[in-house]
Every structure is written in C-alpha cells, then in structure tokens.
Amino acid sequence: MTARQEWNHLPQTPIRVSPLWQWPPQPLATLRWYADSWFFFTINGAIAGIAFLAYAYASPTLEQTATLSLGWPLLIWLRNALIVTVVAGTLHLWFHKFAAQGTDLKYDPRPFPRKGRVFTLTDQMKDNMIWTICSGVTIWSLLEVLLWWSMANGWASVISFQTNPIWFVAIFFLIPVWESFYFYWIHRLLHTNIMYPFHALHHRNTDIGPWSGLSMHPVEHMFYFGSVLVHFAIASHPVHIIFHLMFYGLLAITTHTGFEGVLFRNKKRLHLGNFHHQIHHRYFECNYGNLDVPWDILFGSWHDGTPEGKAMMKERLKNRENHDKQKFRWGYYLGLNTLDFDINYTAEQSLIDPEFQDIETRKTTSFNVGLIGNMRLNDYVDLRIEPGVIFNTRELYFPNVTDVNDRTREVQTTAVHIPLLLKLSTKRLNNFKPFIVGGFSTSINLSSNEDNPDDNSAGQFRTKTNLYSYELGFGIDFFLPYFKFTPSIRGVFSMTDELIPDEDPNSEYTSFIDEMETRGLFINFTFQ
C-alpha cells in the first residue's frame, strides 16, 4: 500500500518539530511558530478567551468555594459540559454530519463514525459522547473543584495580575510547555502492559472525530487531567486552573477531528489536528508527544510521516531486543547527589545538658560520574559493579559551641565509590523495563582529613577515609534505537562510624557524638 492510498490527505512530510530545536538556529522561524500558536485566530488563543469568559460569567468566587456545597461544583460541571458539547458538537456537525468540506484535509479515508460491538451501544458516536461527558467532564470538574477549594482554604497559593503581572501572564505560556513534558511521559506510561487495558478504550478509535478526543477510561482521565495538580506547587490564579483544564480538554477535541483544519472558501482558516498524532492513532507505538518539544525524537518513538519513517518505526519496536541477552555489558553514568549525616549522641548528653540542641547538617547538591560493568545471570537478575567518583560539600553547624563565630565546619567529600549491586528486573514491557537494585559499597574519601594532626581546635573537622555502606534503589530501563537509557534513584546508607574524635575528651564538637554516618540520595542517568 502506498502512502497516498494509505491516507486520504497527506500533508507535507517529513514532519518537523518546533524550529527552536533545529540546527542551525532559526530565530525568526521560532518566533513565527509560537506566534502562530497563539495569535490571532488560533486554538490556544480561543481557549484562553473561553477561560476568561468562563471565569467572569460562569464560575464561583473564591469566597464561595471556601465551603463545599452542591451548588458551585454543579455550576462548574454544567459549564464544562456545555462548553464541551458546543465545541465537539459544532465540529462534528461541520466535518461529519453535514460534511461541509467533504473529505478535503481529512487524514483517514475510512468513514466516521463507525458501528461495531467494540463500542458502547455498538455505536462509535454514542460511545464517545458517553465517555466524554460522564467520565471526562466529571473528572475534569472534580479536579477543578479541588483546586478552587484548595485555593480558598490556603492549601494552594493564589496570585493576581495586580500582585504579580509578569508571572500571571507567563503561566498561560508555560502551561503548554508543561503539557508537552507531562503528556509524553503519561502517554508512554499508558502504553505499558499494566496501563494499556485502560488506554485501549481510547485507541479503539482508529479513525477519529471530535468526540473521540476525550473518550477515555476514568483511570486515564485521572492521569490525563492530573496535570493540573502542578498548581499545588506553583502560585496561580483560578483563571489559570480553568485555562489549564480547558487546554487539556478542548485541545483533545480539536486535535481529534480527523482533519488538518477548517476550510472556508477553499482556504484553511484554522489549524486543528496534526498529522503527527493521527499517525499515533494508526500505529499506536509512536508519536506519544507533540511537536513543541521533540521528546519522541529524543526517546526513539518518532515517526515523521514518510515511508522511511514507517520502516524505522517497525524496526524500532524491536529496539535493542538482544541488548540484555549479552553476558557482559559496559556503560557509564552521570548523576546528582545530596549527602546528609545521621548523628547519634551519647546516652549521657541529655542528662548533662537538658538544653542541648542537635547538630545541623547543611546539605548541597553536587554530582557524581562513573562506569558500569554488568554481568547477566538470567533474564531477570544482573550482577553489576559501578566504580565512580563522588563530589560533595556539607556544612555542620554546632549550636552548642560557645564561640558563635566558630560554630560551622565544612566537610568535603571527594570519594572513590565502588558499589557491588544485584539488579532485579521485571519482564520487559515493550521498550521499558522497571527494576529494583541493592547491594553493598565501599568508598575512599580522599578529602577526609583522617591523618591530619589538627582537629577542631585548629578548625579542622576530621572523618574516616574508608567507608562501607549498603544501597537500595529503583529505576527504569528505556530501550532506545542506539543505546539503553536508565534513570534511577538510590539511597546510600553508611555502616561506618565516620567520626574522628578531637584530642580533647571534652571537645565542644565531638565529645557528645556517639556515632556519625552518611546518608545519601543519588539520582543517576545511565547510558549503555
């Protein structure tokens, strides 16, 4: 089957991502790309306008939302249901019921909607409407209710244009950036074996219409609209919440019309659905993100719409299928770390000084690098050694020292770190493979000052050079076209008392410390 037979409408290919990510730099093209996304007659601009109208004329006040009741949540649900019905209904009438532009700019040649037992009530249109209104609008509205109530009761921070005009405006432009990141990874999660039974409800729409965009299982709706929970972490205004949820809800409708855009007098007046996502509905295991940030290119799930892209996609589904069957493998890692001290005090200390205060560890975030040697034991178990170097600086603050100007000591770490670990993996899920890892390690701290004759009386805090620790962590292997990429999080727990006591048995710094052991959190990015 040729590309022209496969698609009714084939736009210009290969598909291009935002010029922001292309080389050499194209500042004018980049500016035009984002201007075309917002100004003047655009979907983003229209959603922003609808959000402001909804806030002004169909929303409660913060004072009303401080107390839960039936009235104002019902108002939010009715408003969202009405907007979805008008937008999806109008687009369905234009493109499918009355076929106002026929099949011009329609990607898929197959008719929409379809009949079949795979759909609720054996009708694709009814199926899509039921899941959109009953599940989609309801969960969308519940999350909006949660954010309104949280803002009114101080659980989420609130700003206004008057108090912070730059941030107020910036949030509208940052929401699509967050959407690009969040949607890609949530979408990939939904395509794992565990989550796909929920996502399959959406993907039974291989040819799509406006009501297909929000036709999802309630579990998927929770993940999809859960993007809005980021506003618990950033100060926002209620209109940002409305826009954020409408951006997810209405954009799903407009990008699933099955058409590239609206034709009027033989000219495309409004851009709607990207071919990029239409390909995803045809082939499933590609194009999880959007074109604003090239996550699909970076993580090997890209299909550019060409026959060559289709061939590469088929090959990519078998990414590195024999990678983990090698007896020995090598790689390297880069990572971030933060180190703390677990300090235990002598039993007599509280009796000697009831006003005694704990020593404070002032942590910093630094980096670590290393190599990986991996030996496969079976399909699920690997033995690995990860020699590397850790760099870090901590400060210890001693509130009980008499001289207030001499209460701080710096503890440097430049350590050769050698873990021996056992990695326990699950069965590979497409191109993902979660795992847990644990084992023991030894470290040689080249900055320990263990042999320094000076102690805290001369401003030197000393620790032992050789440390022994146990480590526990988890991560996910991503099988990309040319290598395996693995982000992981690991805790490191020293089993060695690292303290070198001062010569003075009554030292204000060390006399009351029984044991002092390092605790570390490592975030590593591995390439094999």
Side-chain angles (χ1 to χ4, degrees):
M1 179 180 289
T2 66
R4 287 293 178 182
Q5 293 171 321
E6 185 176 8
W7 301 103
N8 173 70
H9 168 65
L10 183 67
Q12 183 178 356
T13 57
I15 299 169
R16 301 292 186 186
V17 297
S18 165
L20 179 64
W21 309 101
Q22 297 178 25
W23 188 264
Q26 304 176 54
L28 292 180
T30 301
L31 183 63
R32 190 180 307 112
W33 172 282
Y34 289 102
D36 289 345
S37 298
W38 284 95
F39 312 105
F40 289 93
F41 188 43
T42 65
I43 293 299
N44 287 5
I47 294 173
I50 294 171
F52 274 99
L53 289 173
Y55 173 72
Y57 299 107
S59 296
T61 64
L62 276 176
E63 291 74 18
Q64 291 172 323
T65 61
T67 303
L68 287 175
S69 64
L70 180 62
W72 64 268
L74 182 59
L75 169 65
I76 289 173
W77 187 90
L78 289 172
R79 174 246 285 162
N80 293 337
L82 177 62
I83 291 172
V84 165
T85 301
V86 169
V87 173
T90 300
L91 291 173
H92 176 77
L93 292 174
W94 174 270
F95 288 117
H96 301 287
K97 179 68 175 179
F98 300 125
Q101 61 188 62
T103 59
D104 292 343
L105 300 187
K106 185 178 189 296
Y107 293 121
D108 199 308
R110 293 172 294 181
F112 174 90
R114 295 185 293 119
K115 305 287 184 179
R117 288 184 295 175
V118 69
F119 299 110
T120 307
L121 304 179
T122 68
D123 183 287
Q124 185 178 9
M125 180 66 177
K126 295 176 182 176
D127 171 278
N128 289 178
M129 292 182 69
I130 289 170
W131 289 106
T132 295
I133 297 295
C134 296
S135 176
V137 171
T138 300
I139 290 173
W140 163 358
S141 302
L142 286 173
L143 286 168
E144 185 178 338
V145 167
L146 172 64
L147 265 298
W148 274 97
W149 179 87
S150 298
M151 285 181 163
N153 288 280
W155 292 101
S157 300
V158 183
I159 64 168
S160 67
F161 181 80
Q162 290 74 22
T163 60
N164 201 328
I166 295 176
W167 181 241
F168 184 93
V169 173
I171 289 176
F172 289 101
F173 295 96
L174 291 174
I175 285 172
V177 178
W178 167 243
E179 184 267 349
S180 178
F181 172 79
Y182 179 88
F183 179 67
Y184 179 82
W185 290 108
I186 287 298
H187 200 177
R188 292 214 70 160
L189 175 66
L190 290 167
H191 275 260
T192 61
N193 289 352
I194 296 174
M195 298 299 298
Y196 193 76
F198 303 111
H199 191 48
L201 188 149
H202 179 70
H203 264 296
R204 60 195 186 191
N205 297 287
T206 53
D207 186 22
I208 52 179
W211 287 99
S212 306
L214 282 178
S215 179
M216 306 174 188
H217 191 281
V219 171
E220 181 174 354
H221 278 132
M222 286 298 299
F223 279 96
Y224 183 73
F225 286 114
S227 163
V228 77
L229 298 178
V230 72
H231 293 279
F232 278 107
I234 61 172
S236 311
H237 186 274
V239 75
H240 294 131
I241 309 302
I242 297 172
F243 171 76
H244 193 141
L245 288 163
M246 284 189 178
F247 185 82
Y248 269 70
L250 299 185
L251 203 66
I253 293 170
T254 60
T255 57
H256 284 76
T257 60
F259 287 74
E260 183 181 309
V262 176
L263 278 180
F264 187 69
R265 294 183 177 177
N266 296 320
K267 184 176 180 180
K268 189 174 79 169
R269 306 291 178 173
L270 180 65
H271 182 78
L272 295 175
N274 287 319
F275 188 46
H276 172 265
H277 191 71
Q278 185 78 33
I279 292 172
H280 174 77
H281 271 270
R282 174 67 64 87
Y283 299 120
F284 299 174
E285 301 297 337
C286 63
N287 294 1
Y288 298 100
N290 61 29
L291 301 179
D292 287 328
V293 183
W295 297 110
D296 285 298
I297 295 176
L298 289 172
F299 291 98
S301 52
W302 177 247
H303 187 326
D304 65 1
T306 64
E308 294 78 12
K310 181 179 178 180
M312 289 178 62
M313 179 204 69
K314 291 182 177 179
E315 184 66 25
R316 197 161 48 232
L317 294 178
K318 302 176 182 179
N319 282 349
R320 312 287 290 177
E321 63 180 2
N322 295 317
H323 185 282
D324 280 359
K325 298 190 182 300
Q326 303 172 62
K327 184 68 174 178
F328 297 100
R329 300 192 307 277
W330 314 96
Y332 66 93
Y333 65 86
L334 308 171
L336 302 173
N337 68 77
T338 181
L339 303 181
D340 198 354
F341 278 118
D342 181 26
I343 301 174
N344 295 318
Y345 303 101
T346 58
E348 299 82 8
Q349 183 57 40
S350 60
L351 299 176
I352 296 172
D353 184 2
E355 297 183 358
F356 174 81
Q357 299 180 54
D358 287 345
I359 300 169
E360 178 186 348
T361 305
R362 295 172 176 173
K363 303 181 289 292
T364 61
T365 299
S366 192
F367 70 96
N368 46 282
V369 297
L371 302 174
I372 295 171
N374 192 99
M375 183 173 73
R376 176 180 178 271
L377 301 181
N378 61 39
D379 287 345
Y380 305 103
V381 183
D382 295 88
L383 183 66
R384 61 197 306 166
I385 187 169
E386 299 183 357
V389 182
I390 301 170
F391 302 92
N392 196 279
T393 299
R394 287 165 281 182
E395 280 190 352
L396 290 173
Y397 178 73
F398 295 84
N400 307 292
V401 171
T402 304
D403 185 354
V404 296
N405 296 316
D406 198 30
R407 291 181 172 179
T408 301
R409 291 289 182 268
E410 186 176 82
V411 181
Q412 293 277 356
T413 298
T414 305
V416 178
H417 182 64
I418 307 175
L420 183 63
L421 305 167
L422 201 63
K423 177 183 175 185
L424 306 177
S425 304
T426 68
K427 183 179 179 181
R428 181 167 165 173
L429 310 170
N430 296 324
N431 289 321
F432 300 84
K433 195 174 183 180
F435 65 87
I436 59 174
V437 66
F440 297 92
S441 61
T442 182
S443 299
I444 303 171
N445 186 3
L446 305 178
S447 305
S448 68
N449 289 325
E450 180 174 2
D451 297 325
N452 193 331
D454 295 329
D455 60 16
N456 281 291
S457 61
Q460 294 293 323
F461 191 89
R462 301 176 299 177
T463 58
K464 292 180 180 176
T465 301
N466 297 305
L467 308 179
Y468 301 94
S469 308
Y470 66 93
E471 306 190 8
L472 296 170
F474 62 93
I476 302 177
D477 289 328
F478 293 92
F479 295 85
L480 305 183
Y482 305 108
F483 62 92
K484 183 169 71 172
F485 171 68
T486 305
S488 64
I489 298 175
R490 192 182 308 167
V492 177
F493 308 90
S494 173
M495 300 181 292
T496 303
D497 177 13
E498 301 171 41
L499 178 68
I500 302 292
D502 291 342
E503 297 297 329
D504 180 3
N506 297 313
S507 167
E508 290 185 294
Y509 297 92
T510 64
S511 63
F512 48 82
I513 299 177
D514 184 38
E515 289 183 338
M516 188 173 73
E517 300 166 341
T518 288
R519 299 288 183 263
L521 178 67
F522 288 69
I523 300 176
N524 289 339
F525 302 94
T526 298
F527 302 85
Q528 288 181 273

